[in-house]
Amino acid sequence: MKFLLPLIVLCTLGANEITLTKQQAQNWQIQTTLASPSGTIPLGTFMIEVVTPPHLLQAITLPFEAQITKLHIASFQEIKQGEILAEISSPSWIEAQQTFISHTLMHNEQKSIAHRKNRLCKEGIIPQKECISINTTLQNTKSKQEAAKALLLAYGASQKQITQISQTKHIQQYLPIYANKSGIITHLNTEVGSSIDTSKPLCIIQKPGALWMESDLPQKYIKTLQKQKSLFITLNGSQYQCNVLNFSPTINRQNQTQRVRFSLPKNAPLLAGFRGISEIIINKPSWKIAQKSVIQSENQSIVFVKKDHGYQSLAVNIYATQDPFYYIEKDEKLKAPIVISGIAILKSMMETENE
């Protein structure tokens, strides 16, 4: 008590400022260090999953039920645009060709008749009303032929095939299915000899492109993220520069997390379905200080900074934690040396004087 009494007498507390002599600071082993500026903040570590964006997936479907007569592809095979995938056969395909051939023959016949009658009308040999009638019939047969041709195109027939059918009047039993995009076969839903209907895709092609990453983040971290803002994600031993793409409009009731979607560089060597622990680092100026320099007082995080004649308490806003540091909001006042030992003494003096 004889030692403490004169020390307390020498200490005065102003507006959150404690005045100490140099000797008192040495006796209480009060040490300081400078805060380190940082351009990034480690938000934390989270489970993250690599997913395929829907726009990179192409489903190859058939417009009618058909039987697979030949397959030219296998799962996980890389294909090029225009490459043949399979050959199919179906009564609907044969019927569509028959209809097209029938309307083509009818149109050609009416075109010949119209040509002859139009010449006779021009010479005044037959009345004009016959030419009007035959031209109307010709237009109708042309419309029917074009509709039958459109159906063949919808079924997947090429223009070359349709021209061949029109010229030879020969029905082709098998219809080849071609890839309209380059990519990799991720799912193959059939085999040779089986039937497949319109409700099930023949296969799914994944086109080349950048993948996404998604993670469920606690609410306290969501407020630090901004849509379309750049950040860094460390995953599987590599760090990637990404953007925040979307936030889920709902919160998971069970764990109160929110789904966040991030972009992933196109050249990232990650595959869809990969899951792992990642570290999310946001681009934001901050100060990095030792955790032991921060105390809690009246629901505030407090640090003590050295002044000319003592020490001043300052409230700080903590952004993130990464042992053994806190990342806090930038403040010009924090350029002064920050107390890292003897903090309990300063806190006790501050609370005693406030009482």
Side-chain angles (χ1 to χ4, degrees), residues 133-182:
S133 177
I134 190 61
N135 287 332
T136 300
T137 302
L138 178 64
Q139 185 61 42
N140 289 338
T141 58
K142 181 180 179 181
S143 297
K144 291 179 180 180
Q145 182 196 34
E146 291 296 327
K149 178 181 177 181
L151 182 60
L152 291 178
L153 289 171
Y155 279 1
S158 65
Q159 187 62 53
K160 182 179 179 181
Q161 270 185 296
I162 294 174
T163 300
Q164 188 178 16
I165 294 171
S166 176
Q167 292 175 349
T168 63
K169 310 301 187 291
H170 176 71
I171 291 177
Q172 300 182 11
Q173 185 176 357
Y174 306 110
L175 173 66
I177 305 298
Y178 297 95
N180 51 13
K181 298 291 181 181
S182 299

Side-chain angles (χ1 to χ4, degrees), residues 74-251:
S75 296
F76 321 132
Q77 180 179 334
E78 185 173 357
I79 59 169
K80 301 296 184 182
Q81 183 176 0
E83 187 175 338
I84 187 170
L85 303 177
E87 293 180 30
I88 63 174
S89 181
S90 169
S92 298
W93 162 243
I94 293 175
E95 183 181 345
Q97 292 179 83
Q98 290 174 334
T99 302
F100 175 68
I101 292 173
S102 175
H103 287 310
T104 298
L105 291 173
M106 187 180 300
H107 177 63
N108 290 341
E109 180 183 355
Q110 294 300 316
K111 185 163 60 173
S112 178
I113 295 174
H115 177 73
R116 186 175 68 254
K117 285 192 174 184
N118 284 331
R119 188 179 59 188
L120 294 175
C121 286
K122 188 176 182 180
E123 295 175 357
I125 299 175
I126 61 175
Q128 289 293 326
K129 64 180 182 179
E130 289 195 33
C131 290
I132 294 174
S133 177
I134 190 61
N135 287 332
T136 300
T137 302
L138 178 64
Q139 185 61 42
N140 289 338
T141 58
K142 181 180 179 181
S143 297
K144 291 179 180 180
Q145 182 196 34
E146 291 296 327
K149 178 181 177 181
L151 182 60
L152 291 178
L153 289 171
Y155 279 1
S158 65
Q159 187 62 53
K160 182 179 179 181
Q161 270 185 296
I162 294 174
T163 300
Q164 188 178 16
I165 294 171
S166 176
Q167 292 175 349
T168 63
K169 310 301 187 291
H170 176 71
I171 291 177
Q172 300 182 11
Q173 185 176 357
Y174 306 110
L175 173 66
I177 305 298
Y178 297 95
N180 51 13
K181 298 291 181 181
S182 299
I184 296 176
I185 304 294
T186 60
H187 296 85
L188 183 61
N189 299 319
T190 189
E191 58 185 14
V192 176
S194 64
S195 295
I196 188 167
D197 58 29
T198 57
S199 64
K200 190 176 183 181
L202 173 70
C203 65
I204 296 178
I205 301 173
Q206 181 174 325
K207 299 178 290 184
L211 301 178
W212 290 342
M213 290 186 292
E214 294 183 351
S215 182
D216 296 318
L217 303 184
Q219 282 293 289
K220 66 179 180 179
Y221 298 111
I222 297 296
K223 62 183 180 181
T224 62
L225 300 177
Q226 295 182 25
K227 192 173 181 180
Q228 298 303 327
K229 288 295 184 179
S230 176
L231 47 74
F232 295 96
I233 294 180
T234 301
L235 182 63
N236 201 29
S238 298
Q239 188 176 84
Y240 306 100
Q241 185 170 2
C242 310
N243 290 329
V244 179
L245 296 179
N246 305 105
F247 296 92
S248 169
T250 59
I251 295 175

